[in-house]
Amino acid sequence: MDPPIMGHPPQPSPIRFHPITMGLHWGVAIAVLGLVAWGWWMTELGSPVEKLWAYGLHKSIGILVWVAMIIRLAARAVIPRPPPVAAPRWRRFAAISVHSALYCCLLGMPLLGWVNASAANFPVNVFGVVTLPRITPTDPELAALAIRGHLAMSWVLVALVVVHAGAALRHHFVDRDRTLMRMLPFGGGRSG
Amino acid sequence: MWRWMLPTALRTVAAMVVTSCWIGSAGAEAPRWSIVRAESAITAVATQLGSPFEAGFAAFSADIRFDPEQPAASLATVVIDVASYDSGNAERDTRALGPEFFDVAAHPEARFETTAFSRDDAGWVADAVLTIKGVTRRVSLPFTLRIDDGRARMAGSLEIDRGDFGVGTGEWASASSGVGRTVRIDVRLVAVRD
């Protein structure tokens, strides 16, 4: 007689990312592309009233992205992930590096924006629903430093997105593997 | 403007008459108090997109004659150097001091002059006339007061509609500009008896 099985049998590795992971990935992707374009555009606005509202929307969406990234980071620990696609060691290393840098930018940029607003004594009001607390005292020099970092990171982020999306397309069209399909909710043969 | 200046002038004359009667009858003038600048602050709390932000007026002077036992003989005048407005952001300060908001070039001073002090269970109330950007309005400032050994600490707040004073014109006049109409003024003064 077989001994009773303790716990669950091992789960097969998923073939796609979890729907929550996909939702966070694509939601953040769309929001961030919008935020970067909006962020560069809004600094050039002539009307100070429009500027006030444009910055308000930028901050609101930026904070949502920050929260989404914290959830995503936490979700990595608990949601099973599909196994990595076979690739040479340098490409695995490059992927990990780019992914880590993306996390750093997506967590760091909203934080620097928040530091800038706090140090410049501008409230951060998320969609008129909640006002975030200030995280620094008033300090014009710190505000200037934070916004320079925020802007510099926007260029780094754009470069990372280009590399990340380029690599995904290369996997799909050149290597013809499942890398991109794992993050898409449809298509790609066997369903996940 | 004239609507306010005449009653103000009358009140001033009346206050002088009343004060001199008081002095004549009681022979006592309310003692003078000097502000302790390091412990005193006048702050304006305005809103942007519904969220509050504080800005201080670093420079102001106060002429205070006050005796809690003789409220009718007590007077306080606070004159604020509007140019000392500091919200922590140079761009916003420049805009606030510009013609659309305080128009500091034409109106360098804001003025708070009491017309009457009264006391109830909740604390003190100073009825006053407040002049900002050349516009004078009647206001009431409820405040708490503690006097220990010749040292007075008062704290109070009053809310104004910035539109009443023409602070924020053109596209800034409406709250839909993102800058709220209601502004809270917090006053915290520490004074010592001369």
Side-chain angles (χ1 to χ4, degrees):
Chain A
M1 194 175 174
D2 291 335
I5 295 165
M6 301 301 288
H8 299 288
Q11 296 276 323
S13 284
I15 202 152
R16 296 174 193 273
F17 283 96
H18 193 277
I20 291 175
T21 307
M22 282 190 209
L24 289 169
H25 173 271
W26 291 108
V28 166
I30 291 163
V32 158
L33 292 179
L35 279 175
V36 170
W38 185 266
W40 284 340
W41 166 78
M42 73 184 186
T43 59
E44 307 295 328
L45 279 172
S47 155
V49 170
E50 285 175 15
K51 214 168 175 174
L52 184 57
W53 285 97
Y55 276 65
L57 185 60
H58 181 83
K59 290 186 215 175
S60 295
I61 296 175
I63 292 297
L64 282 194
V65 165
W66 191 62
V67 171
M69 290 308 297
I70 290 170
I71 294 171
R72 177 120 188 250
L73 200 58
R76 283 179 75 99
V78 288
I79 296 179
R81 301 151 54 78
V85 171
R89 184 182 290 267
W90 76 269
R91 282 178 67 184
R92 297 271 291 279
F93 176 75
I96 290 169
S97 303
V98 169
H99 292 158
S100 305
L102 279 166
Y103 272 91
C104 286
C105 278
L106 295 172
L107 286 162
M109 286 181 72
L111 196 60
L112 280 181
W114 191 2
V115 168
N116 166 257
S118 297
N121 191 20
F122 279 101
V124 179
N125 180 320
V126 183
F127 292 112
V129 175
V130 62
T131 302
L132 299 190
R134 290 179 65 187
I135 50 175
T136 76
T138 301
D139 182 345
E141 283 178 23
L142 177 62
L145 198 65
I147 206 63
R148 273 206 300 277
H150 186 81
L151 280 168
M153 280 176 101
S154 72
W155 289 104
V156 174
L157 179 66
V158 167
L160 289 169
V161 167
V162 167
V163 172
H164 178 67
L169 293 175
R170 185 206 147 119
H171 275 285
H172 194 70
F173 292 111
V174 180
D175 305 331
R176 294 180 180 279
D177 63 30
R178 283 193 47 82
T179 304
L180 178 61
M181 299 319 295
R182 298 182 311 164
M183 198 45 108
L184 288 175
F186 47 78
R190 290 189 296 153
S191 66
Chain B
M1 178 69 101
W2 289 108
R3 196 156 61 92
W4 286 106
M5 284 183 69
L6 191 56
T8 306
L10 283 176
R11 260 199 314 278
T12 307
V13 171
M16 285 162 71
V17 170
V18 168
T19 308
S20 51
C21 287
W22 237 109
I23 293 165
S25 60
E29 192 183 344
R32 284 186 177 276
W33 298 77
S34 298
I35 292 292
V36 180
R37 290 302 313 277
E39 294 175 59
S40 302
I42 297 177
T43 311
V45 183
T47 59
Q48 281 186 326
L49 307 181
S51 297
F53 70 94
E54 271 189 19
F57 290 95
F60 57 88
S61 61
D63 177 14
I64 301 170
R65 274 167 286 158
F66 188 82
D67 181 346
E69 304 308 323
Q70 300 182 65
S74 299
L75 284 170
T77 302
V78 178
V79 179
I80 297 169
D81 178 1
V82 176
S84 70
Y85 178 85
D86 181 6
S87 74
N89 177 261
E91 192 182 333
R92 181 170 52 197
D93 291 348
T94 303
R95 190 171 308 286
L97 296 178
E100 293 166 302
F101 286 91
F102 286 123
D103 196 9
V104 72
H107 306 284
E109 284 182 358
R111 213 175 166 83
F112 175 92
E113 281 179 272
T114 61
T115 54
F117 283 99
S118 55
R119 185 177 199 172
D120 61 22
D121 294 342
W124 288 85
V125 176
D127 292 320
V129 287
L130 175 63
T131 306
I132 302 173
K133 206 180 183 179
V135 180
T136 302
R137 299 272 173 179
R138 287 168 201 273
V139 294
S140 281
L141 173 69
F143 64 96
T144 57
L145 178 67
R146 234 185 62 203
I147 302 178
D148 296 318
D149 198 22
R151 192 177 179 86
R153 298 163 185 279
M154 72 75 70
S157 292
L158 67 95
E159 287 194 341
I160 59 165
D161 180 341
R162 62 180 175 83
D164 287 347
F165 298 90
V167 175
T169 57
E171 59 181 351
W172 297 105
S174 161
S176 65
S177 65
V179 178
R181 289 275 296 235
T182 302
V183 177
R184 197 180 80 225
I185 301 169
D186 293 340
V187 183
R188 195 182 74 237
L189 299 180
V190 174
V192 288
R193 192 154 49 212
D194 284 356

